[in-house]
Amino acid sequence: MKDYLICHTSILPDYYLKVVRIKEELKKNPELNVSEACNREGLSRSTFYKYRDHLFRMEGNLKQEATISLLLSHHSGALSNVLSVLSAYKANIMTISQNAPIDNTAIVDLSVDVSAMVISMSELMTLLANTDGVVKVTLAKLKAIDE
């Protein structure tokens, strides 16, 4: 959570608040489309899409999601070792995508809910990099999701 700031809305540009209001309106009214909601608030769709995944009200339920890309050696237990590390530190696997092995390595992309994790992302990346069977690990994306 070190990437987040708490600030009063009075110091923010008005378009940030408009983005939040549009998100709330779209959630309340599923029949409303983004263009209509943006027109009501006087905000361009491009501005809405640019900021929608980065602005949230504090009372909302925020989930933090990471996309982790791994290059694993092609031997028995490599993926299991990675999953054990994630489980041990309360990271919740949402999706796993694995390519066929080439030259005894395989690319695995994981979508992970890290909201309840008991260590930092930096610590997790270090642990994964030192896990048996992991050749390379990359944090491809880290974002907060408003539930």
Side-chain angles (χ1 to χ4, degrees):
M1 297 305 279
K2 69 178 182 174
D3 293 334
Y4 294 90
L5 301 173
I6 297 176
C7 61
H8 194 275
T9 57
S10 65
I11 68 167
L12 297 174
D14 66 331
Y15 55 89
Y16 285 178
L17 299 174
K18 289 179 179 185
V19 169
V20 171
R21 285 194 300 260
I22 291 168
K23 286 174 56 174
E24 291 169 347
E25 189 62 33
L26 290 169
K27 191 179 279 190
K28 283 192 301 191
N29 186 357
E31 294 85 33
L32 186 64
N33 68 42
V34 172
S35 291
E36 291 174 54
C38 287
N39 284 339
R40 288 181 185 180
E41 286 292 331
L43 187 72
S44 71
R45 284 181 32 228
S46 63
T47 300
F48 173 74
Y49 284 118
K50 181 177 182 179
Y51 295 108
R52 72 175 177 171
D53 293 332
H54 304 286
L55 296 169
F56 309 97
R57 289 210 189 264
M58 283 299 293
E59 65 264 8
N61 262 345
L62 290 182
K63 180 170 84 171
Q64 197 169 11
E65 180 183 315
T67 303
I68 300 170
S69 186
L70 300 135
L71 183 62
L72 300 181
S73 60
H74 184 57
H75 74 267
S76 181
L79 181 56
S80 179
N81 293 340
V82 168
L83 299 179
S84 293
V85 169
L86 293 170
S87 175
Y89 296 99
K90 309 291 185 222
N92 184 31
I93 310 297
M94 297 184 326
T95 63
I96 300 174
S97 175
Q98 181 174 353
N99 294 339
I102 298 173
D103 294 330
N104 283 326
T105 59
I107 296 172
V108 177
D109 292 318
L110 303 174
S111 203
V112 183
D113 178 356
V114 294
S115 305
M117 204 164 61
V118 296
I119 59 174
S120 71
M121 277 306 299
S122 175
E123 291 170 309
L124 178 67
M125 297 305 286
T126 300
L127 286 169
L128 289 174
N130 294 317
T131 300
D132 186 38
V134 174
V135 176
K136 182 179 177 184
V137 62
T138 307
L139 179 60
K141 184 191 280 186
L142 182 61
K143 70 177 185 175
I145 300 171
D146 193 11
E147 292 188 307

